[in-house]
């Protein structure tokens, strides 16, 4: 049995082969958001078994003004806008971001006007239902570039937050969030980052 994600991947492959490159208008046109009928159709078929009403309302497209944000979900209008740079990274990134944002819409649709925490339990449940149970809570565009490949991960033993770095840090560095929370913002060895070397490219 093929999962929804597999279906999506398959169909995105088709999308990538043809039409997507022509869908984004020039910034000079003033129209910085452009709906993408094929991606929208994909989103609708993903949502349909879970929320038929929402599936008929959802709008999906690209926002060429986005810089570091990978995608946004506007629940009041059932819109999802993605950063066109995602297409340059991989189809998997487009798919992941689309599902992440659709999960925001699905969560809000299920809970009406109730105010939800952005990545709270309702969103988490929606991710599970959309087939991305391990989704990370971020909207940032993943780092791209060959020369600046990130080779180290710094992990906070306190909160588990991790950051990627190109170089191994020379000095001791600790998690700012934990140091602020537990030590008045001063360096605290308990929250010194563990440096994990990633596999060489
Ligand atoms: Zn999110
Ligand atoms: Zn921390």
């Amino acid at each position: 049995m093929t999962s929804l994600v597999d279906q999506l991947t398959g169909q995105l492959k088709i999308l990538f082969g043809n039409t997507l490159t022509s869908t984004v208008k020039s910034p000079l046109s003033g129209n910085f958001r452009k709906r993408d009928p094929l991606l929208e159709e994909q989103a609708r078929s993903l949502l349909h078994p879970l929320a038929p009403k929402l599936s008929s309302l959802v709008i999906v497209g690209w926002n060429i003004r986005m810089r570091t944000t990978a995608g946004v979900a506007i629940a009041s209008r059932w819109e999802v806008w993605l950063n066109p740079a995602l297409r340059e990274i991989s189809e998997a990134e487009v798919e992941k971001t689309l599902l992440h944002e659709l999960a925001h819409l699905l969560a809000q649709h299920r809970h009406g006007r109730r105010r939800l925490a952005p990545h709270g339990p309702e969103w988490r449940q929606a991710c599970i239902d959309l087939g991305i149970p391990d989704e990370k809570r971020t909207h940032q565009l993943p780092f791209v570039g060959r020369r600046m490949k990130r080779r180290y991960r710094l992990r906070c033993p306190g909160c588990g937050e991790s950051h990627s770095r190109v170089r191994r840090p020379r000095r001791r560095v600790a998690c700012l969030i934990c140091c602020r929370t537990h030590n008045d913002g001063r360096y605290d060895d308990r929250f010194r980052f563990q440096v994990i070397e990633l596999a060489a490219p």
Side-chain angles (χ1 to χ4, degrees):
M1 200 176 102
T2 52
S3 72
L4 290 175
V5 175
D6 288 337
Q7 290 173 26
L8 179 67
T9 312
Q11 293 186 31
L12 279 173
K13 275 187 186 118
I14 299 164
L15 302 190
F16 269 81
N18 316 313
T19 47
L20 282 188
T21 37
S22 61
T23 55
V24 179
K25 281 191 180 172
S26 139
L28 297 173
S29 73
N31 188 0
F32 58 92
R33 287 192 296 218
K34 179 79 181 166
R35 281 169 78 170
D36 186 317
L38 294 174
L39 216 48
E40 200 169 277
E41 186 51 43
Q42 192 55 60
R44 285 171 187 223
S45 58
L46 278 163
L47 288 170
H48 193 264
L50 300 163
K53 174 121 190 288
L54 173 60
S55 82
S56 67
L57 299 172
V58 71
I59 285 169
V60 180
W62 306 94
N63 181 340
I64 57 168
R65 284 199 183 158
M66 284 181 178
R67 290 292 173 256
T68 58
T69 305
V72 293
I74 304 169
S76 57
R77 297 197 296 266
W78 311 117
E79 293 173 359
V80 166
W81 299 106
L82 303 177
N83 188 328
L86 289 167
R87 293 174 300 177
E88 257 114 88
I89 301 169
S90 68
E91 13 183 309
E93 283 306 322
V94 175
E95 174 198 326
K96 253 171 59 180
T97 309
L98 175 63
L99 288 167
H100 178 118
E101 304 307 336
L102 289 178
H104 282 299
L105 297 190
L106 180 57
Q108 198 59 61
H109 187 76
R110 285 171 167 172
H111 296 275
R113 287 165 166 268
R114 229 184 84 204
R115 201 179 160 86
L116 305 178
H119 300 111
E122 299 85 2
W123 175 81
R124 174 65 51 198
Q125 183 59 51
C127 284
I128 293 167
D129 298 338
L130 284 164
I132 48 163
D134 301 322
E135 175 59 8
K136 305 247 166 35
R137 306 169 187 196
T138 172
H139 288 233
Q140 290 304 297
L141 201 62
F143 185 82
V144 250
R146 234 168 265 141
R147 284 183 307 133
M148 298 282 281
K149 204 122 197 165
R150 299 196 167 189
R151 305 209 21 229
Y152 296 93
R153 180 163 297 142
L154 310 183
R155 191 177 168 282
C156 170
C159 66
E161 185 79 15
S162 75
H163 305 275
S164 296
R165 287 286 180 277
V166 177
R167 293 182 188 84
R168 177 183 280 277
R170 296 217 174 115
R171 296 178 300 122
R172 294 182 302 171
V173 276
C175 173
L176 185 60
I177 295 163
C178 286
C179 291
R180 276 187 181 148
T181 312
H182 304 288
N183 199 32
D184 292 324
R186 293 185 310 263
Y187 177 87
D188 187 324
D189 213 49
R190 288 178 299 165
F191 307 118
R192 182 178 177 175
F193 282 122
Q194 301 160 333
V195 181
I196 300 154
E197 190 164 0
L198 304 174

